[in-house]
Amino acid sequence: MKKMKWLCLVLAVVLLFTGCSGKSFDDLWKELTTLQVTPFSEMEYTRPDPAKMEEELTKCCSLAETENKVSTVVDQVWVVYNLYNNFYTNYNLASIFYFKDLTDAKWEEEYNFCLQASATFDAMLEEMFYTLAACPLRDKLEKDPSFGEGFFDSYEGESIWDETFLDLMEQEAALEEKYYQLCSDAQAVEHYSEEYFTLYGTQMADLYVKLVGVRQQIAEYAGYPDYPSFAYDFYHKRDYTPQQAEAYLADIGKELVPLYRTALNTELTLKFSNQSQTFAYLEGSVQAMGGTADYAFTAMKDAGLYDITASDKKYNGSFEVYLVDYTSPYIFLNPSGYESDKLTFAHEFGHFCSDYAAHGSYAGVDVAEVFSQGMEYLTLCYGPEAGTLTRWKMLDSLSVFVEQAAYALFEHQVYDLKGSRLTTENVQKLYEQIGTQFGFDAWDWDPRDFVAIGHFFTEPMYVVSYVTSNDAALQLYQLEQNEKGSGLALWEDNLATEEAFFLAFVESAGLKSPFTPGRAAEIRKTLEQSLAA
């Protein structure tokens, strides 16, 4: 997974600025390249202070109305922004420490504090920009390198972050907090067992229905026709619509599900892999690649910016986050103990490289996933071993296309259930219907397992990015197979991209759009050939 929702928000704000007190962000990034990443052991968590943020925000808004000197206002803007930045740095630290041990009461409290405070901090930052957009200095501010011409165009009128919207966002955060608590409680029983679904799955399913209801209210209040449209725009900044995505996902189902059903009968046994073997696989791969990947891995290793240890107390998942105040990425992984961990580690390291190269990437989520999934494919070309792992990755790629497409379609359609139709029973029926349509019934599938897919609860409308980006990442692998070094070169050349939009990115990189007619059929042929080899 790329970033928690809160980090996507903070990095989106970075994109808004083009400089600081006469200094462009290009200059700032050049300065940052001389800095070394901070060792994780030296990072300290400090509980954020919303009152301090409000105090500095009030000062900033007052200056905007009364001050004639632009530099004075800009300096105060950066005081506010740095506090906002600091909040998300500490929020991410709290999430790392809490997810390392979901039974730790101290970090649970800190994480929940930050989770609940996130909407407040976002609202305050929005208030600042709306105030600046309406202040007498607006024209002069847009001539300052800190902003730029047209910066405040999107902050005209009334801010969406009023008391009602903030309350809805806080309701959503509270429900997400309950989900994490249920995940923690569920560690007391065997995952995916009858006991798991009976004791905790039913509670999670009921909670999801409540989340969907709140999110529908959020979208309606924000003026969007439905929640998918809201999330695509508000969180993910996509340059394609939910309708385009749904058509592509349906094509994936038509073209790839028959191959998926057949491939499920493939006999393939993954080897066990311990922490040192997983680490050595990635290390050997990036040493062969050289360039940014090698430099980033050395920084990660030397600064201890990763945790790939196994624990039954850890959050059952993997992610990478960027700790802005420390200019340091960080990887979290709770391994399964099988060879697949090598590619999961490679996936998150792809994100790490992007953040390392860009000093905090603000590429869109679909673009970001190209680099992570692309790293998985590239390790197959440069890694110290292939064979079973390569074949497993091709099967995994097929499963990503089919399973994530099913998840994405379910997620789109579940938000069509409104009013009396939005019930736990109907959500369950919808998931079972789509899962069966996409071939899940061909394996030992429990149709209640949507409750174990954390993205539905905490990262709404994210999973479609795994499908679109896997399409682009697979093209890197195809390039590498045709000409050694070509896929790696494209990955490296675009690693620090400033492009937030996926379709714009694939066009600029010379890749095919997933929405090209017949693209799903092309993917099927490629995977058929790879699996037959």
Side-chain angles (χ1 to χ4, degrees):
M1 131 185 188
K2 167 53 179 167
K3 301 262 196 299
M4 301 293 184
K5 178 168 61 184
W6 51 89
L7 194 61
C8 292
L9 289 170
V10 66
L11 293 179
V13 174
V14 175
L15 178 61
L16 300 177
F17 288 88
T18 58
C20 141
S21 297
K23 183 182 296 182
S24 72
F25 258 107
D26 285 339
D27 292 334
L28 182 59
W29 293 152
K30 288 176 183 177
E31 290 180 9
L32 287 175
T33 59
T34 65
L35 300 176
Q36 298 296 317
V37 292
T38 304
F40 187 73
S41 61
E42 297 178 10
M43 296 182 189
E44 296 182 2
Y45 169 84
T46 303
R47 176 178 279 207
D49 184 358
K52 178 63 176 176
M53 175 76 167
E54 185 172 11
E55 176 187 335
E56 297 297 344
L57 170 66
T58 300
K59 183 178 178 180
C60 183
C61 292
S62 177
L63 284 173
E65 297 294 338
T66 60
E67 178 61 47
N68 293 321
K69 193 175 180 180
V70 170
S71 62
T72 301
V73 176
V74 170
D75 287 344
Q76 185 59 27
V77 166
W78 278 92
V79 170
V80 175
Y81 177 67
N82 287 334
L83 285 172
Y84 179 84
N85 219 34
N86 178 258
F87 166 74
Y88 277 99
T89 296
N90 283 292
Y91 191 171
N92 285 323
L93 282 173
S95 71
I96 291 170
F97 290 126
Y98 176 47
F99 291 162
K100 282 175 179 285
D101 183 357
L102 293 177
T103 67
D104 190 315
K106 171 194 171 183
W107 288 114
E108 179 181 13
E109 180 181 355
E110 293 306 315
Y111 172 78
N112 288 338
F113 173 84
C114 292
L115 177 62
Q116 289 293 329
S118 61
T120 299
F121 274 82
D122 292 335
M124 285 193 280
L125 192 73
E126 285 282 295
E127 181 182 346
M128 179 180 73
F129 287 139
Y130 273 93
T131 299
L132 294 173
C135 80
L137 284 176
R138 171 174 170 164
D139 291 342
K140 292 182 179 180
L141 286 170
E142 288 195 336
K143 290 181 173 64
D144 187 274
S146 300
F147 300 99
E149 193 68 33
F151 175 86
F152 294 110
D153 289 353
S154 59
Y155 292 99
E156 295 175 341
E158 295 184 4
S159 170
I160 191 176
W161 285 94
D162 59 14
E163 185 176 342
T164 300
F165 189 75
L166 180 59
D167 178 64
L168 288 170
M169 297 296 272
E170 288 177 342
Q171 288 182 45
E172 180 187 27
L175 291 171
E176 291 175 359
E177 178 184 330
K178 289 182 180 179
Y179 177 70
Y180 283 121
Q181 183 59 57
L182 285 171
C183 288
S184 176
D185 295 343
Q187 290 183 326
V189 301
E190 181 183 351
H191 184 67
Y192 216 77
S193 64
E194 183 61 33
E195 190 176 12
Y196 171 86
F197 288 114
T198 302
L199 289 179
Y200 301 103
T202 53
Q203 296 181 65
M204 292 175 178
D206 291 341
L207 180 65
Y208 186 56
V209 168
K210 293 177 182 177
L211 260 174
V212 170
V214 170
R215 287 169 177 163
Q216 288 171 337
Q217 293 180 61
I218 289 172
E220 181 179 1
Y221 191 77
Y224 287 81
D226 50 58
Y227 187 78
S229 297
F230 168 80
Y232 269 49
D233 182 38
F234 190 80
Y235 290 133
H236 305 307
K237 307 298 180 186
R238 293 188 172 116
D239 57 348
Y240 58 89
T241 66
Q243 291 71 33
Q244 285 177 287
E246 287 172 10
Y248 172 61
L249 297 171
D251 283 344
I252 290 290
K254 292 176 184 176
E255 291 289 344
L256 296 185
V257 168
L259 179 61
Y260 175 79
R261 287 183 177 276
T262 300
L264 288 173
N265 296 320
T266 301
E267 291 188 10
L268 181 65
T269 302
L270 280 176
K271 300 176 184 177
F272 292 108
S273 179
N274 59 34
Q275 179 180 335
S276 61
Q277 291 170 326
T278 297
F279 190 86
Y281 171 79
L282 184 57
E283 185 172 36
S285 299
V286 300
Q287 286 176 348
M289 292 179 199
T292 302
D294 195 15
Y295 285 117
F297 190 88
T298 299
M300 180 195 72
K301 179 179 179 180
D302 291 347
L305 297 170
Y306 66 99
D307 177 2
I308 61 172
T309 59
S311 171
D312 58 4
K313 293 182 178 181
K314 288 176 72 173
Y315 173 69
N316 186 30
S318 63
F319 59 86
E320 180 266 3
V321 293
Y322 189 72
L323 302 160
V324 185
D325 282 359
Y326 296 105
T327 62
S328 298
Y330 186 89
I331 291 174
F332 175 97
L333 168 65
N334 193 359
S336 66
Y338 291 94
E339 271 194 308
S340 54
D341 291 333
K342 296 174 180 178
L343 295 181
T344 303
F345 191 22
H347 181 103
E348 301 306 342
F349 181 69
H351 289 310
F352 188 102
C353 288
S354 183
D355 271 334
Y356 177 85
H359 297 287
S361 173
Y362 45 82
V365 292
D366 300 69
V367 177
E369 289 295 344
V370 174
F371 300 119
S372 58
Q373 297 195 81
M375 174 55 67
E376 292 185 60
Y377 288 111
L378 289 172
T379 64
L380 299 177
C381 304
Y382 292 88
E385 54 188 277
T388 301
L389 193 59
T390 298
R391 187 166 177 77
W392 183 89
K393 177 55 188 173
M394 293 304 118
L395 289 170
D396 176 66
S397 182
L398 174 59
S399 70
V400 166
F401 279 119
V402 173
E403 293 169 16
Q404 299 301 324
Y407 295 155
L409 273 179
F410 163 73
E411 195 173 24
H412 280 68
Q413 294 180 22
V414 79
Y415 286 93
D416 289 334
L417 299 174
K418 297 180 179 179
S420 60
R421 295 174 57 238
L422 179 58
T423 64
T424 303
E425 181 181 8
N426 285 341
V427 169
Q428 179 66 66
K429 286 181 179 178
L430 177 64
Y431 181 71
E432 186 167 1
Q433 172 190 330
I434 293 177
T436 302
Q437 176 187 339
F438 275 74
F440 290 10
D441 57 326
W443 50 276
D444 188 19
W445 170 58
D446 191 312
R448 296 171 293 180
D449 74 0
F450 74 90
V451 299
I453 301 169
H455 283 66
F456 293 159
F457 292 82
T458 64
E459 295 290 330
M461 298 299 145
Y462 191 107
V463 292
V464 68
S465 296
Y466 289 124
V467 188
T468 55
S469 61
N470 193 39
D471 190 324
L474 182 61
Q475 294 177 55
L476 297 180
Y477 181 75
Q478 293 170 318
L479 286 170
E480 194 67 32
Q481 294 300 296
N482 292 332
E483 182 183 353
K484 185 74 170 179
S486 58
L488 175 61
L490 192 151
W491 180 88
E492 173 93 29
D493 290 345
N494 291 279
L495 199 57
T497 181
E498 297 181 357
E499 182 56 69
F501 298 109
F502 178 68
L503 294 183
F505 169 76
V506 295
E507 182 179 357
S508 66
L511 299 171
K512 287 186 179 181
S513 165
F515 307 129
T516 302
R519 178 59 189 155
E522 292 179 13
I523 293 171
R524 174 181 52 76
K525 292 177 182 178
T526 297
L527 292 176
E528 282 177 336
Q529 293 171 357
S530 297
L531 292 172

